[in-house]
Amino acid sequence: MTHLSLFTGEFLSRAQETAFQAERLPESRRHARTLFIFSVVLNALFLLSDWRFAGTSHFWIAVPARVAVVLWSLICLYLSRELDSFQKVERLCCAWQVVTAVGVAFLVTSRSDIALFVLLMLPLIFYLVVPTSFRGNFGGGLGCGVALLIGYLAPAPISATMPGMILAVLILHCGMWITIVRTNRLQRLAWMASQAANTARAALARNGETLERMFMSVPIPLLVTRQDGTVVRFNNAAARTFGSEDISRVHLLGEGSSAQANLRERIASGEPLDNQECRIAGKDGVIHDVLLATRSIRVDDEDCVLSSIVDITDRKDAERHLAHLAMTDALTGLANRSHFMATLTQAAGSTGHAGGQMAVVLIDVDEFKRINDSAGHDVGDALLSAVAERLRKAVRPGDLVARMGGDEFAVLLTRLRNASDLEVVLARMTAQLHQPLAYGNRDVDCRVSMGVALFPEHAGDIAELMKFADIALYEAKNGGRGRACLFEPGLLDRWQREARMLDRARDALLHAPPVPWYQPKIDLSTGAVIGFEALLRCVRPDGSVIMPAEIAAAFEHSELGRTINDRMLDRVLLDCRQWQDQGMVIGHVAINVPGVELHDSSFPDRLLSKLEQRGVPASGIELEVTESVFLGRNAEVVERSLHQLSAAGISIALDDFGTGYASLSHLKQFPIDIIKIDQRFVRDLETDPDDAAIVRTLLNLAYSLGIRTVAEGVENIRQVDYLRAGGCHYAQGFHFGAAVPADAVPALLNLFPEMQPKKA
């Protein structure tokens, strides 16, 4: 009776387990030394790659952690010379596991692409490679997985994908537990079979009948073959597995390969083999993955080979299934990010050696969040699945399609001969992807933006290639969406410039929070102050001021733009409330509103709620918008928002009119109360006839439509006279006063008593 633990797959008898481990000591010791050597070599190579973090905060985490792993592996390699028992091998391996897991846990805090790969792979190594007992394999793998998961998740705020990642890691460890238990059982069964065979051989001289019964009753297939491969004997288990009619048909698959030929030579030479994995064809051509163990024996004065064959087909199927899950997206069935990056690395190496060109196409589903929120997650999932299927149809055989996460996809196009090859594939992708999706009784609009980068034309390594494709995708989305954009060096300069603006804005939010400074607006007919424009200023601790142009990209950033606008609104309304409490009549305050706010349907309710909370009348606020917010697929949201705010009593001013995508239809479609003439036209109107003509035309247009006008950037009395004569209503600029902090507004009014504020 076999006494194997259902939980660990090891012998329940400690004595039997000790004997098994003692016999495997040379192999375990050799495997341990090999493991430490590979750990030293590979981590030393990775140490060189860790210099890519130079100049970042992660550098001082990655390098010490990597050095610690290398040094500890060297120490373990040195100590392995003294290993004279399996227990010592196990203790040394467990110590190596602990230090390695802790070191790598620090390394994966970078959350780079390879970090996710290591998060999955290192526990697998601890389970399958480290030569310890079940508690060493399972404990080391589980502990490593927990340590790496903590290291991967800890450096950043908890994300929405954390529960899924934890469940994925838990599933991985459950699968590996099953694999380890099955492997332990199979190894011990094979060992027991080998022990039984040895016992039978020793007893053969005493009792041939007993030997025969034992041989036939062993539950593992046993074959006795001559050195030329001819089958001499087989037991009942072999007959059940391979068929009793022609057992000689049992053969190794791939016998023509050098590896299989080498294996046959080793068997024929009588070299003992243990746990040699190979594939064989059994009864009815069924393919089996097996563990093969062989020993030389003499049968009737002839040298033969006794082979035990343990079927591990189920284990290999489980391993292949786990590998498939680890490299495949569950929703679409496409390759996932890990699979894509691994294939991209291989393709880059092949392209670099053989020449030629390949391309990475990053794809983002436009307005997917809006579709997901408005139509439901089932529609969103159906749209993602449809995009995946359309991409499969659009690309060529051999091209790789992957889902990178969320609504982001990627395509690897290899074997590109020239630009026309790329254009053909992109055109086919665009035609396929931009077709509406029929879902139920509705058609779901499907549009995508694509960014393309070429290897090696644009980038010589995959990190830069992915970065440049992402920059091209960013340009495609900013340029109106629904199109493909090919990377060019100018995009990198622009992206870096905008990235610096965003970094500067983030730093300002922490160390120089934005505050409003107020510039007076003057009624040209009376000279009275009719209100102020709130201009953003970020005052650093040293007194220097960050101007809006220095962080311009932040205003249209989905997160930063809303944060900056909220802080400006809160501060403006607080100042207005204080001025009201002091009995000051300041007219109105104009506030610039970024497009990211107007594209949010909840903005009007949030603004009106803030006005009500502060007790500031709607007539005391004027919103300045640019015409760019009227363009794009959210124009209907902007229109509803502006009409709602206008109905509440808030004036709407069209800023920088005539400098961008000006259209007279906008003046009719949207509730515009005021047109602001950009300072670029005002600055040279005295000397430039074209500027003067433009200003005159804008004033006449506004007069005809009954819309008030404000001239910006007025700097001298001659400009004032020209504007007043042309019928301009209001003006602002250095001629009347620069923007000042809120606490300086009363003093500013006192300095110009003739400009006391009046209601507009």
Side-chain angles (χ1 to χ4, degrees), residues 114 316 344 432 485-486 518 574 595 670 674 721 749:
I114 196 67
K316 299 300 288 186
L344 177 59
Q432 289 274 357
C485 180
L486 182 66
Y518 299 92
L574 177 61
F670 298 95
I674 297 172
D721 292 340
L749 295 178

Side-chain angles (χ1 to χ4, degrees), residues 428-722:
R428 195 159 57 235
M429 290 167 60
T430 301
Q432 289 274 357
L433 294 172
H434 286 186
Q435 298 176 17
L437 169 66
Y439 186 83
N441 297 323
R442 62 185 298 175
D443 287 337
V444 180
D445 194 16
C446 180
R447 307 280 289 181
V448 301
S449 299
M450 296 185 284
V452 188
L454 299 173
F455 178 93
E457 179 179 334
H458 294 148
D461 63 74
I462 60 172
E464 283 199 340
L465 184 66
M466 293 297 293
K467 174 183 175 181
F468 292 164
D470 197 44
I471 291 173
L473 175 61
Y474 178 79
E475 176 66 18
K477 294 176 75 67
N478 280 357
R481 306 187 181 225
R483 67 192 188 103
C485 180
L486 182 66
F487 175 80
E488 57 184 34
L491 296 181
L492 178 60
D493 296 337
R494 188 185 313 167
W495 179 83
Q496 290 174 336
R497 185 168 58 253
E498 292 185 1
R500 287 193 295 269
M501 288 184 180
L502 296 179
D503 289 340
R504 194 177 297 123
R506 292 187 181 97
D507 183 72
L509 287 172
L510 292 175
H511 304 107
V515 295
W517 284 20
Y518 299 92
Q519 185 176 44
K521 298 167 67 175
I522 307 302
D523 188 328
L524 291 179
S525 63
T526 65
V529 177
I530 54 93
F532 294 86
E533 180 179 358
L535 301 175
L536 179 142
R537 299 291 186 267
C538 298
V539 184
R540 296 189 179 96
D542 62 3
S544 60
V545 178
I546 300 175
M547 302 298 286
E550 298 178 66
I551 58 173
F555 300 137
E556 296 305 322
H557 187 274
S558 59
E559 179 182 349
L560 292 176
R562 183 170 289 112
T563 300
I564 293 173
N565 190 62
D566 280 344
R567 294 196 182 186
M568 283 289 289
L569 276 174
D570 290 340
R571 187 63 182 268
V572 167
L573 296 181
L574 177 61
D575 292 340
C576 289
R577 180 71 256 178
Q578 291 176 345
W579 289 329
Q580 282 182 220
D581 294 342
Q582 296 170 11
M584 296 175 58
V585 180
I586 62 167
H588 67 267
V589 175
I591 306 173
N592 291 278
V593 181
V596 67
E597 287 282 37
L598 291 173
H599 290 159
D600 183 355
S601 58
S602 68
F603 172 69
D605 292 331
R606 286 193 285 115
L607 175 57
L608 295 175
S609 176
K610 288 177 182 287
L611 289 171
E612 183 179 356
Q613 290 174 5
R614 287 294 182 187
V616 176
S619 60
I621 295 297
E622 179 180 289
L623 297 185
E624 295 189 3
V625 300
T626 60
E627 282 195 304
S628 61
V629 303
F630 302 152
L631 307 176
R633 301 168 72 187
N634 283 329
E636 68 281 0
V637 177
V638 175
E639 183 177 5
R640 286 197 303 270
S641 297
L642 292 182
H643 278 290
Q644 181 180 350
L645 293 169
S646 179
I650 295 177
S651 297
I652 309 298
L654 185 56
D655 199 8
D656 302 334
F657 183 73
T659 63
Y661 307 93
S663 171
L664 296 181
S665 65
H666 294 156
L667 300 179
K668 178 181 178 181
Q669 179 181 358
F670 298 95
I672 305 301
D673 303 298
I674 297 172
I675 290 176
K676 299 197 72 175
I677 303 173
D678 190 79
Q679 59 182 338
R680 282 175 284 182
F681 302 135
V682 176
R683 183 187 304 118
D684 299 321
L685 64 81
E686 310 157 81
T687 57
D688 189 328
D690 292 336
D691 284 346
I694 291 173
V695 171
R696 191 164 53 250
T697 300
L698 294 177
L699 292 174
N700 291 335
L701 173 65
Y703 176 79
S704 301
L705 296 175
I707 298 176
R708 290 170 290 163
T709 53
V710 177
E712 296 180 302
V714 177
E715 298 182 352
N716 57 61
I717 190 62
R718 293 183 299 279
Q719 294 171 345
V720 173
D721 292 340
Y722 185 93

Side-chain angles (χ1 to χ4, degrees), residues 19-29 86 187 191 275:
F20 172 77
Q21 293 171 351
E23 185 171 319
R24 292 169 54 89
L25 176 60
E27 179 185 11
S28 299
R29 184 167 50 209
F86 183 82
Q187 288 178 343
W191 181 76
N275 298 327

